[in-house]
Coordinates of all heavy atoms in Angstrom, one line a residue:
R162 N 8.4 4.4 4.8 CA 7.5 4.6 5.9 C 8.1 5.6 6.9 O 7.4 6.6 7.3 CB 7.1 3.3 6.6 CG 6.2 3.5 7.8 CD 6.3 2.3 8.7 NE 5.6 2.6 10.0 CZ 5.8 2.0 11.1 NH1 6.7 1.0 11.2 NH2 5.2 2.3 12.2
Y292 N -1.5 -0.7 4.7 CA -1.2 -0.5 6.1 C -0.6 0.8 6.4 O -0.2 1.1 7.6 CB -0.3 -1.6 6.6 CG -0.9 -3.0 6.8 CD1 -0.6 -4.0 5.9 CD2 -1.8 -3.2 7.8 CE1 -1.2 -5.3 6.0 CE2 -2.4 -4.5 8.0 CZ -2.1 -5.5 7.1 OH -2.6 -6.7 7.2
A293 N -0.5 1.7 5.5 CA 0.3 3.0 5.7 C -0.3 3.8 6.8 O 0.5 4.2 7.7 CB 0.3 3.8 4.4
A294 N -1.6 4.0 6.8 CA -2.2 4.8 7.9 C -2.2 4.1 9.2 O -2.0 4.6 10.3 CB -3.6 5.2 7.5
F295 N -2.4 2.8 9.2 CA -2.4 1.9 10.4 C -1.1 1.9 11.1 O -1.0 2.1 12.3 CB -2.9 0.5 10.0 CG -2.8 -0.5 11.1 CD1 -3.8 -0.5 12.1 CD2 -1.8 -1.4 11.2 CE1 -3.8 -1.5 13.1 CE2 -1.7 -2.3 12.3 CZ -2.7 -2.3 13.2
T296 N 0.0 1.7 10.3 CA 1.3 1.6 11.0 C 1.8 2.9 11.4 O 2.5 3.0 12.4 CB 2.3 1.0 10.0 OG1 2.4 1.7 8.8 CG2 2.0 -0.5 9.7
A297 N 1.4 4.0 10.7 CA 1.7 5.3 11.2 C 1.1 5.6 12.6 O 1.6 6.4 13.3 CB 1.3 6.4 10.2
A298 N 0.0 5.0 12.8 CA -0.7 5.2 14.1 C -0.3 4.2 15.2 O -0.9 4.1 16.2 CB -2.2 5.2 13.9
L299 N 0.7 3.4 14.9 CA 1.2 2.4 15.8 C 2.7 2.6 16.1 O 3.5 1.7 15.9 CB 0.9 1.0 15.2 CG 0.9 -0.2 16.1 CD1 -0.3 -0.1 17.1 CD2 0.8 -1.5 15.3
P300 N 3.1 3.7 16.6 CA 4.5 4.0 16.8 C 5.1 3.2 18.0 O 6.4 3.1 18.0 CB 4.5 5.5 17.1 CG 3.2 5.8 17.8 CD 2.2 4.9 17.0
S301 N 4.3 2.6 18.8 CA 4.9 1.9 19.9 C 5.3 0.5 19.6 O 5.8 -0.2 20.4 CB 3.8 1.8 21.0 OG 2.7 1.1 20.6
R302 N 5.1 0.1 18.3 CA 5.5 -1.3 17.9 C 6.5 -1.3 16.8 O 6.4 -0.4 15.9 CB 4.2 -2.0 17.4 CG 3.1 -2.1 18.5 CD 3.5 -3.1 19.6 NE 2.5 -3.0 20.7 CZ 2.7 -3.6 21.9 NH1 3.7 -4.4 22.0 NH2 1.8 -3.5 22.8
V304 N 7.3 -2.7 13.4 CA 6.4 -3.2 12.4 C 7.2 -3.5 11.1 O 7.9 -2.6 10.6 CB 5.2 -2.3 12.1 CG1 4.3 -2.9 11.1 CG2 4.5 -2.1 13.4
G464 N -8.5 2.9 6.9 CA -8.4 4.2 6.2 C -8.6 5.3 7.1 O -7.8 5.6 8.0
H466 N -10.4 5.4 9.7 CA -10.5 4.9 11.1 C -9.2 4.2 11.5 O -9.3 3.4 12.5 CB -11.7 4.0 11.3 CG -13.0 4.7 11.1 ND1 -13.5 5.8 11.9 CD2 -14.0 4.6 10.1 CE1 -14.7 6.2 11.4 NE2 -15.0 5.5 10.3
A467 N -8.2 4.3 10.8 CA -7.0 3.5 11.1 C -6.4 3.8 12.5 O -5.9 2.8 13.1 CB -5.9 3.8 10.0
A468 N -6.5 5.0 12.9 CA -5.9 5.3 14.3 C -6.7 4.6 15.4 O -6.1 4.1 16.3 CB -5.9 6.8 14.5
T469 N -8.0 4.5 15.2 CA -8.8 3.8 16.2 C -8.5 2.3 16.2 O -8.4 1.7 17.2 CB -10.3 4.1 15.9 OG1 -10.6 5.5 15.9 CG2 -11.2 3.5 17.0
T470 N -8.4 1.8 15.0 CA -8.1 0.4 14.8 C -6.7 0.1 15.4 O -6.5 -0.9 16.2 CB -8.1 0.0 13.4 OG1 -9.4 0.3 12.8 CG2 -7.9 -1.5 13.2
A471 N -5.7 0.9 15.2 CA -4.4 0.7 15.7 C -4.4 0.8 17.2 O -3.7 0.0 17.9 CB -3.4 1.8 15.1
R472 N -5.2 1.7 17.8 CA -5.3 1.8 19.2 C -5.9 0.5 19.9 O -5.4 0.0 20.9 CB -6.1 3.0 19.6 CG -6.1 3.3 21.1 CD -6.5 4.8 21.4 NE -7.8 5.1 20.8 CZ -7.9 5.9 19.8 NH1 -6.9 6.5 19.3 NH2 -9.2 6.2 19.3
A473 N -6.9 0.0 19.2 CA -7.5 -1.2 19.7 C -6.6 -2.4 19.7 O -6.5 -3.2 20.6 CB -8.8 -1.5 18.9
D475 N -3.3 -2.2 19.7 CA -2.2 -2.0 20.7 C -2.7 -2.3 22.1 O -1.9 -3.0 22.9 CB -1.7 -0.6 20.6 CG -0.5 -0.3 21.4 OD1 0.5 -1.0 21.2 OD2 -0.5 0.6 22.3

Side-chain angles (χ1 to χ4, degrees):
R162 176 198 171 203
Y292 286 109
F295 173 80
T296 56
L299 201 64
S301 61
R302 302 288 170 186
V304 180
H466 297 291
T469 305
T470 304
R472 186 162 56 249
D475 188 56

